[in-house]
Amino acid sequence: MRKALTLVALLAAGPAFATGLEIQIAGEANGVVKIELLDDVAPKHVEQITTLAGEGKYDGVVFHRVIDGFMAQTGDVQYGRLGDDLRGAGRGGSDLPDIVAEFSDVPFERGVVGMARSQNPNSANSQFFIMFEPGPFLNGQYTVVGHVTEGMDVVDQIKRGAGSNGAVIGAPDVMQKVTVTE
């Protein structure tokens, strides 16, 4: 039986991180969030995210689903752009193909970034979420792509949604600019 890795053990394991994201957030939350991407854990997902970010596809995309005590979801480059009709936000992806799941032993702890998907485990595309709190029920069910290294205080301020699905009503917070870092 494989032993589950803690985020601390993964960080201590060595130089696994080659890339990251720097996200400028505006709205109720204002500031910069830095994410270290786990190239060795989910290489296909990291490649897709960095490709989209490098092309500016995440710039202006809103946090459309935010559930207090759980997570903040964003990344719908098709239907989630600020200024568009956001009623479809959360249903779209990108022009790139969906990605086959890259499940791992990395647990969903506070600050972990995972890929959103439909019921099909191989349907992740562009959307991702940041955990407010641990979510062990997600372990091995969703692909972990990274973790927040700076700016969890900003993440904690992201405007919460309403109801059980966490849909954000009114003006959602937005990723103004997403930059790939080394």
Side-chain angles (χ1 to χ4, degrees), residues 14-178:
F17 312 104
T19 56
L21 296 177
E22 184 172 292
I23 304 172
Q24 178 67 47
I25 297 176
E28 287 189 14
N30 283 286
V32 174
V33 174
K34 294 183 180 181
I35 296 171
E36 204 157 20
L37 297 171
L38 303 174
D39 306 75
D40 62 330
V41 172
K44 294 174 193 152
H45 288 78
V46 169
E47 180 180 359
Q48 185 119 325
I49 289 171
T50 56
T51 296
L52 291 168
E55 294 174 353
K57 302 285 186 175
Y58 286 128
D59 298 351
V61 174
V62 302
F63 285 88
H64 64 273
R65 181 172 182 241
V66 184
I67 301 174
D68 194 36
F70 181 30
M71 59 88 214
Q73 185 171 328
T74 187
D76 183 346
V77 302
Q78 186 175 12
Y79 300 121
R81 194 163 307 285
L82 192 63
D84 291 346
D85 179 353
L86 295 175
R87 287 179 287 187
R91 296 184 181 161
S94 72
D95 293 336
L96 299 175
D98 290 347
I99 314 162
V100 174
E102 295 177 294
F103 298 152
S104 68
D105 291 339
V106 179
F108 278 89
E109 297 176 350
R110 176 174 163 75
V112 165
V113 180
M115 291 298 288
R117 62 172 176 81
S118 68
Q119 295 293 339
N120 177 352
N122 300 318
S123 63
N125 187 290
S126 63
Q127 295 185 48
F128 59 91
F129 56 91
I130 304 171
M131 300 297 293
F132 290 126
E133 301 294 335
F137 53 91
L138 299 175
N139 293 349
Q141 306 295 314
Y142 287 79
T143 299
V144 172
V145 293
H147 67 95
V148 174
T149 58
E150 292 180 41
M152 267 312 287
D153 58 326
V154 177
V155 172
D156 288 336
Q157 297 303 312
I158 294 172
K159 181 179 181 177
R160 301 309 198 259
S164 61
N165 73 348
V168 176
I169 309 299
D173 286 5
V174 62
M175 296 189 294
Q176 282 187 313
K177 180 77 177 157
V178 181

